[in-house]
Amino acid sequence: MAKMAAAAALTREGGEDAFRRLFRFYRQRDVSDLRGVVDFSVPGGQVVRSQLSISSVSDQDAYRAGLQPVSQWKAYGLKGYPGFIFILNPFLPGCQRHWVKQCLKLYPQKPNVCNLDLHMAPEKTIDLWGQSKEQLRKKGSSKWEPRSLLEKLRWVTLGYHYNWDTKKYSANHHTPFPSDLAFLSEQVAAACGFRGFQAQAGILNYYHFDSSLGIHVDESELDHSRPLLSFSFGQSSIFLLGGLKREEAPTAMFMHSGDIMVMSGFSRLLYHAVPRVLPNPDGTALPSCLDQGLSSDLPVGSVIEHSSDEDWQVCAKYLQSSRINMTIRQVLAEGQKFPDESGTKGKGQAPSEDGHHQENSRTKRHKPNTNTDS
């Protein structure tokens, strides 16, 4: 009870940088001190039901994206956070595996950009999966084993590539956005009332148990009228959603494998962070929702692909200590163009390997990066 009171006191205190205080609280406390975290699987308190636009997505299109019919989704919001929608795992059995495999095997491939490009020769990062799969498959439980390249992956950018230095997107650093991920994003956005959403940029973050995501606002997109979509796979995390200023204390919530968050309207430009990655609530190596493989029959036009047993073994080994998050954005409004970029330098490279993504070393605890805008 004393720990719960301490958490409550931190939340009530609206003084200078209340967000950072709560970030540090959840970053440093032990696992048993999480009773104040909102769990949408047992809604109550400030949790309210969210109405979805069921007619905007046909059941067939939902199936093609690997999703249950929208009428079966469980969507919630939070009092005081208009425009925030939390969807409890709406994926059909086995379909999360597709997105995990894409994030590990396909999306890190060139011409997409990743953190390893900053200090490795291009030919060394062409096939991260091929260079890592055997090492991952044979990996034991020792924390002292050498990490594979996939385990050193921190972020990948898609579509319009985010420039971590200028905190901007630009027309001259763009590669094709993955069509399967665009289709998934379009269905989720439409179900939340945003028909016509265009998936133009993606940032994939790869977390381990000692990783965190610093306090930031996603404001670099030129069109803030369109939502930010966030998909999580693998181990769980604590997500903090704050206000328009860092002096406003955030609300803490769990994100589990398959959960989707949508930040729109008032909530689109709120401060947020991930102070902690946690073992999944099932207490097993992988969440139970990842146990089941795909059914043999996929609908015509499905973007979901079957994964080989060999590929899934590699993915499963990776996820035993990791979490993958995909955030998808529309950068430009219909017909909108980027401003004159004559002064823009470089081609979207990050100033450091981690960007806004932090990981504690075994010998020294780093301060979380709290100044990143994406």
Side-chain angles (χ1 to χ4, degrees):
M1 292 300 293
K3 289 183 176 181
M4 289 184 68
L10 278 171
T11 302
R12 286 195 303 268
E13 187 177 358
E16 184 179 356
D17 208 350
F19 199 127
R20 179 172 173 79
R21 278 196 296 273
L22 210 58
F23 182 100
R24 291 168 65 88
F25 177 82
Y26 283 114
R27 183 77 183 107
Q28 299 175 14
R29 294 304 197 270
D30 61 35
V31 174
S32 64
D33 191 22
L34 303 175
R35 289 166 290 179
V37 182
V38 173
D39 186 346
F40 286 95
S41 65
V42 284
Q46 67 185 116
V47 177
V48 295
R49 287 300 296 257
S50 285
Q51 297 298 316
L52 297 175
S53 181
I54 296 175
S55 62
S56 295
V57 180
S58 69
D59 290 356
Q60 185 69 11
D61 280 344
Y63 291 142
R64 289 176 59 206
L67 299 166
Q68 302 171 21
V70 178
S71 60
Q72 297 179 20
W73 295 8
K74 296 179 180 178
Y76 301 96
L78 289 172
K79 294 176 182 177
Y81 294 95
F84 175 77
I85 303 172
F86 191 104
I87 304 168
L88 284 173
N89 179 16
F91 289 93
L92 292 168
C95 290
Q96 287 188 57
R97 291 187 175 192
H98 169 84
W99 303 109
V100 171
K101 184 191 71 173
Q102 298 296 79
C103 287
L104 292 175
K105 185 175 183 179
L106 182 65
Y107 298 158
Q109 293 181 15
K110 299 295 167 272
N112 299 330
V113 181
C114 73
N115 62 291
L116 298 179
D117 297 325
L118 304 179
H119 57 85
M120 295 180 66
E123 62 271 15
K124 298 291 187 181
T125 61
I126 290 176
D127 185 15
L128 301 181
W129 174 270
Q131 296 181 70
S132 303
K133 61 182 182 180
E134 287 305 319
Q135 186 177 346
L136 266 173
R137 191 181 291 112
K138 298 175 182 177
K139 189 174 181 66
S141 58
S142 172
K143 295 182 179 180
W144 302 104
E145 290 184 55
R147 291 184 302 168
S148 65
L149 287 179
L150 276 179
E151 291 171 295
K152 296 178 181 179
L153 196 61
R154 294 293 170 263
W155 52 261
V156 169
T157 55
L158 311 171
Y160 287 114
H161 296 281
Y162 184 71
N163 185 316
W164 303 92
D165 189 12
T166 64
K167 296 182 171 58
K168 293 180 180 180
Y169 300 95
S170 64
N172 63 8
H173 196 209
H174 174 269
T175 55
F177 194 92
S179 59
D180 58 347
L181 185 52
F183 185 77
L184 170 69
S185 302
E186 289 161 8
Q187 308 318 306
V188 172
C192 294
F194 295 94
R195 297 185 73 168
F197 175 85
Q198 299 177 51
Q200 297 175 335
I203 297 179
L204 315 180
N205 280 306
Y206 301 81
Y207 299 82
H208 306 299
F209 283 132
D210 53 359
S211 304
S212 63
L213 179 71
I215 306 167
H216 67 286
V217 175
D218 290 283
E219 60 185 359
S220 299
E221 296 73 30
L222 301 186
D223 181 14
H224 295 153
S225 70
R226 305 308 251 173
L228 175 73
L229 311 180
S230 174
F231 302 84
S232 290
F233 305 107
Q235 302 300 328
S236 300
S237 69
I238 295 176
F239 180 81
L240 298 179
L241 181 63
L244 295 171
K245 299 178 180 179
R246 284 178 47 159
E247 287 71 24
E248 300 176 50
T251 296
M253 63 198 78
F254 290 114
M255 283 201 76
H256 301 306
S257 190
D259 290 344
I260 300 173
M261 287 193 316
V262 179
M263 297 174 67
S264 67
F266 171 81
S267 295
R268 176 64 178 79
L269 296 175
L270 298 183
Y271 279 98
H272 54 281
V274 177
R276 187 136 164 224
V277 176
L278 303 165
N280 73 84
D282 298 325
T284 51
L286 289 181
S288 58
C289 61
L290 292 172
D291 286 344
Q292 191 170 344
L294 275 176
S295 65
S296 56
D297 297 324
L298 292 172
V300 175
S302 175
V303 301
I304 303 298
E305 300 173 347
H306 285 280
S307 299
S308 69
D309 290 342
E310 179 184 356
D311 281 356
W312 179 244
Q313 287 174 9
V314 177
C315 293
K317 180 70 77 166
Y318 177 89
L319 287 184
Q320 286 180 10
S321 60
S322 304
R323 168 183 180 255
I324 298 172
N325 178 252
M326 311 187 300
T327 57
I328 313 304
R329 311 105 188 283
Q330 178 168 334
V331 177
L332 301 169
E334 188 72 35
Q336 188 177 18
K337 296 182 179 180
F338 287 101
D340 177 37
E341 298 171 338
S342 58
T344 301
K345 63 178 181 178
K347 289 191 69 179
Q349 296 300 318
S352 65
E353 177 181 347
D354 288 328
H356 66 317
H357 190 88
Q358 295 293 311
E359 179 169 318
N360 291 345
S361 71
R362 299 187 183 95
T363 57
K364 180 179 179 181
R365 171 161 291 182
H366 299 288
K367 293 182 180 179
N369 181 346
T370 58
N371 298 314
T372 305
D373 293 319
S374 185

